[in-house]
Amino acid sequence: MRTFEYEGHDQNGQSVKGFLDGLNAAHVEEQLIEQGTRITSVVEAGSWVRFARPGQEGLKPEEIVLLSDQLETIARNGLPLAPSIALLAIDAQSRRVRRILKNVQQTLESGGTLAAALAEGGAGLPSAILSLIRVGEQTGNLPAVLAQVSKHYGRLNDARNAIRQAAAYPVLLIVAACVLLGLMCSVIVPQFAGVYGSFGGRLPLATQILLDMSAAVTQLFSPDMLNIWVYILVFLLLVRLYFGLSLRGQMTYMRLQEWFRYKCPFFGHLYQVAVAERFSRVLGLLITNHALAPESLMLAGVASGSMRMAQSAQRAAVLVKNGSRLSESLAAMHE
């Protein structure tokens, strides 16, 4: 068990925060939702591991697609889950995937459900997907649910790859332009500075600006600036520690990151569309499989990956609990 620090609001709208033990963030989110807490944030307390290894600990989207397809085949043919997952672990090429599958196998052999096994095994699935799998197990519709999970992550992976491909070329051009400009200012232009200076006349404004830029770049990367660069790196390290280790710092970082994503030109609109698409798809999956509407709204909001969407979904869930229609609650999210 690991300790997580959380913030949120209780059923009366009062702010609450504290610590809760759980297997992962999704497990803690489920416990808080069952208690009637509207979640604002859940972060691991004292997460030095996150600072040292910022990469994803759970399964990647393409790995979840493959695992969902394999589990669907196993469930549809009535095969026992634990021995089948043991065989999948043997065939897994990644040590990380092999470890996760072995943890899932052990939980299943001890009598746990598939949703609990995936949560305890460290698969990294969001609480909405785990709830969807739990509903599938309870209704006997697990193969269809796993097919929906596979389709959901397949589309998510395709969208992510499409965005990366669309952004790769502009980013490459920007990086190449910065490298070329740096080489010109630090290597080529200084060689012509003496030639321009020997003219004795007044240089054109554009030429003078280029020479000034070259001098500034050369000065920035000179040996005399080494101590300043060390101080800058130490300052950035301290800022990273603050944002990574304290709950207030992590919340500040998440808010800044969210603000930048929404306000970024061109990509901000794409991000808003992606958030709305993830929320709608997860909400549709949950409601299609007969999950309760308030819990579905909160889980879909968390699964959207956006703090704004999660908070709006929590307000919509309160409206549904108070008797409002789902359509009216969803419309109120845009107000």
Side-chain angles (χ1 to χ4, degrees):
M1 287 286 186
R2 293 180 290 174
T3 302
F4 291 82
E5 190 174 1
Y6 67 88
E7 284 187 354
H9 299 84
D10 58 16
Q11 296 179 350
N12 298 323
Q14 300 294 327
S15 298
V16 294
K17 62 180 180 179
F19 297 88
L20 190 63
D21 292 334
L23 299 165
N24 49 37
H27 185 208
V28 173
E29 290 173 5
E30 291 179 3
Q31 297 181 60
L32 294 173
I33 290 176
E34 291 176 357
Q35 297 172 8
T37 302
R38 290 179 289 148
I39 307 166
T40 302
S41 67
V42 175
V43 295
E44 186 175 355
S47 55
W48 287 92
V49 176
R50 181 179 300 176
F51 174 76
R53 293 185 302 170
Q56 185 179 11
E57 296 181 2
L59 297 175
K60 299 178 181 179
E62 57 270 18
E63 295 170 344
I64 296 177
V65 172
L66 178 60
L67 179 60
S68 300
D69 290 338
Q70 293 170 335
L71 290 177
E72 178 194 359
T73 302
I74 293 170
R76 193 174 298 278
N77 290 279
L79 300 175
L81 285 176
S84 302
I85 290 179
L87 295 175
L88 295 179
I90 295 174
D91 294 335
Q93 298 179 356
S94 172
R95 183 180 302 176
R96 172 177 49 83
V97 176
R98 192 181 305 117
R99 172 181 54 82
I100 292 173
L101 292 178
K102 287 183 178 179
N103 293 337
V104 172
Q105 174 199 353
Q106 293 174 0
T107 305
L108 289 172
E109 289 177 344
S110 62
T113 62
L114 179 59
L118 291 172
E120 297 176 10
L125 296 177
S127 54
I129 300 300
L130 294 175
S131 298
L132 184 63
I133 295 175
R134 186 179 300 108
V135 170
E137 291 180 295
Q138 293 173 353
T139 59
N141 195 30
L142 184 59
V145 168
L146 291 172
Q148 293 174 345
V149 172
S150 176
K151 185 177 181 181
H152 166 70
Y153 274 96
R155 291 181 175 177
L156 186 65
N157 191 42
D158 292 341
R160 181 181 288 107
N161 291 335
I163 293 175
R164 288 177 178 175
Q165 292 176 2
Y169 184 67
V171 170
L172 180 61
L173 289 180
I174 293 173
V175 172
C178 292
V179 172
L180 291 175
L181 183 60
L183 290 175
M184 288 182 60
C185 292
S186 60
V187 178
I188 300 175
V189 175
Q191 296 181 3
F192 291 93
V195 177
Y196 290 144
S198 63
F199 292 162
R202 184 176 181 180
L203 297 178
L205 179 61
T207 305
Q208 187 61 48
I209 292 175
L210 186 60
L211 292 176
D212 293 339
M213 289 176 57
S214 174
V217 171
T218 304
Q219 181 64 27
L220 282 176
F221 294 99
S222 64
D224 298 335
M225 295 290 294
L226 180 60
N227 292 334
I228 297 179
W229 281 111
V230 172
Y231 294 147
I232 292 175
L233 292 177
V234 172
F235 173 75
L236 294 176
L237 177 63
L238 294 176
V239 171
R240 180 64 182 88
L241 288 173
Y242 171 75
F243 282 132
L245 300 181
S246 67
L247 179 61
R248 184 181 299 275
Q250 291 192 26
M251 290 302 300
T252 303
Y253 175 76
M254 292 170 63
R255 291 190 181 97
L256 290 175
Q257 189 180 50
E258 182 102 332
W259 178 86
F260 176 77
R261 287 177 175 176
Y262 273 95
K263 299 298 182 179
C264 181
F266 178 72
F267 290 104
H269 178 69
L270 292 179
Y271 177 73
Q272 296 178 35
V273 173
V275 167
E277 191 269 342
R278 284 198 299 268
F279 171 80
S280 302
R281 181 177 298 156
V282 174
L283 180 62
L285 289 175
L286 291 168
I287 292 179
T288 301
N289 289 276
H290 310 291
L292 297 178
E295 286 74 10
S296 299
L297 285 168
M298 288 188 289
L299 291 171
V302 173
S304 68
S306 169
M307 293 179 61
R308 294 186 184 182
M309 182 64 75
Q311 294 171 356
S312 299
Q314 290 171 0
R315 292 194 296 268
V318 173
L319 294 176
V320 172
K321 287 183 178 180
N322 293 335
S324 299
R325 295 181 179 179
L326 180 60
S327 58
E328 297 174 351
S329 303
L330 291 174
M333 292 177 60
H334 301 283
E335 296 178 358

